[in-house]
Every structure is written in structure tokens, then in C-alpha cells.
Amino acid sequence: DAGVIQSPRHEVTEMGQEVTLRCKPISGHNSLFWYRQTMMRGLELLIYFNNNVPIDDSGMPEDRFSAKMPNASFSTLKIQPSEPRDSAVYFCASSLKTGGMYTGELFFGEGSRLTVL
Amino acid sequence: TQLLEQSPQFLSIQEGENLTVYCNSSSVFSSLQWYRQEPGEGPVLLVTVVTGGEVKKLKRLTFQFGDARKDSSLHITAAQPGDTGLYLCAGSRGKLIFGQGTELSVKP
């Protein structure tokens, strides 16, 4: 079975450029999460969707960041314009949320390592 | 503000030693999960604890959820080099919040 698929695995770009990260969750999962991981701040939740609807975007750093989930099998995280402090590994994860406060087991992709020069 | 505090942040031990990693919070969680992450990969779930006071064992790993569901511990017995990695606790409150992680290095 295919796991969570993220692309690109690595991206190097220059400050001011637009960056788009892509994620295909596991088929049948109803929740999708975008996390950012850095040495300084660890794994931070940026935004999560339930049934393709954004539920909590309080972790999105600022208006330069946006995320969409047009259907159950695809999501994007866009940074425009990018800045050097956005350099991090961005993870997408999906889960089958059965209700209540329990998120279920998160299945992570391999991550997209972003370097903004 | 970090909701979940893990300690220690770094741990370097010799093969065969025992160790405990702590995950503490002032908040109550409906459940708590432990993940392990290896370089270049995403975290992978080890265990989920749901009930206050719950203890779960996974081979040489023992996980405990505090009675008040605010804290948890991971104990590894007779650590092996294959246990090396980043251990993350994560609390569930509708969304999953991660601690900073404990970087474990087990030397042969």
C-alpha cells in the first residue's frame, strides 16, 4: 500500500520566489496535517483539514503561507514570497479520525526539505 | 509556548543501559502518542495511551500515561544501537501537538 506521498523531496529556491509543496494522503483517510520541523522549534502544526475542510490554521506563520485541499486525495502548501527563515522540513501526514478529540494514528510522508537562499 | 515539554533533549548512552524519557504538560490530553523518527524520514507511531495510569509494553519499551493524563514516560530497557533516533511525544486535543523530542544515541 502506498503511504503518504510528498513532492518535491528537496527544493532550493531564492528569497522572494513562490514555493508549492504537494501531498497525496493515504486513500480513505479523512484528516490531513501539515507540519514544519526545524532544530529550534521542533515539529510545529501549521494547519489541518478534516474531510477536505480547513479546521485549524492557527499555526500558519503569516499571510505568506496558504494551504488548500481541493479533494480527498490532494493538498498543497504554498509560500509566497518565500524567505530564508522558511527553510525547514515540511511534513504532510494523514489519519483516519473517528470522532471526538482523538486524532488517530498519523502516517507521515518523507517530508519536503526546503532551503530558501 | 511549548505545550509538551520533553526531557532530556539529548541522551547518549552505551549499549545495554536503561533510560527514561519524560513528557510533561500542564494540559490534559485525551490521549498521548509516542513516535520515533529516523534521519530523512517522517515520524512513525510506536504506541498510543488513552487511559490515565495506563501502561503499555512494546518489547523492551514501556510507556506510561500519568493518572491525570498530563504526562507520560518512555522507558527503554537494555538499549541497543538500533534504538537510536528521535523520540517524540504528541498529545491529542482534536489536533496532535508534538513535544520538542529527545535525541537518543546508543553506542555499541
Side-chain angles (χ1 to χ4, degrees), chain B residues 26-65:
Chain B
S26 57
S27 302
V28 175
F29 293 98
S30 62
S31 65
L32 200 137
Q33 300 177 342
W34 285 91
Y35 288 78
R36 179 164 168 263
Q37 184 179 18
E38 296 194 46
E41 298 181 8
V44 176
L45 181 70
L46 294 173
V47 78
T48 300
V49 285
V50 179
T51 307
E54 183 176 2
V55 176
K56 280 191 174 179
K57 292 194 174 184
L58 190 65
K59 297 183 181 177
R60 293 176 294 101
L61 279 61
T62 301
F63 304 84
Q64 185 160 7
F65 201 11

Side-chain angles (χ1 to χ4, degrees), chain A residues 9 33 35 37 39-43 45 48 56 58 91 97 100-110, chain B residues 2 10 30-31 33 35 37 40-45 48 50 86 88 92-100:
Chain A
R9 287 295 311 275
F33 305 78
Y35 285 88
Q37 187 173 41
M39 287 290 292
M40 289 296 294
R41 301 174 69 87
L43 204 56
L45 178 64
Y48 79 96
D56 186 337
S58 59
F91 284 102
K97 190 176 188 307
M101 298 291 274
Y102 178 54
T103 59
E105 175 182 358
L106 261 60
F107 292 82
F108 284 80
E110 292 184 308
Chain B
Q2 195 70 25
F10 301 94
S30 62
S31 65
Q33 300 177 342
Y35 288 78
Q37 184 179 18
E41 298 181 8
V44 176
L45 181 70
T48 300
V50 179
L86 178 67
L88 296 154
S92 180
R93 302 179 76 194
K95 56 189 179 183
L96 205 58
I97 306 298
F98 282 83
Q100 286 278 76

Side-chain angles (χ1 to χ4, degrees), chain A residues 80-96:
Chain A
Q80 165 65 16
S82 58
E83 297 182 4
R85 59 190 168 128
D86 302 330
S87 297
V89 181
Y90 290 81
F91 284 102
C92 175
S94 69
S95 75
L96 182 60

Side-chain angles (χ1 to χ4, degrees), chain A residues 39-59:
Chain A
M39 287 290 292
M40 289 296 294
R41 301 174 69 87
L43 204 56
E44 301 175 278
L45 178 64
L46 300 177
I47 184 171
Y48 79 96
F49 297 82
N50 201 37
N51 294 319
N52 312 337
V53 176
I55 302 301
D56 186 337
D57 65 354
S58 59

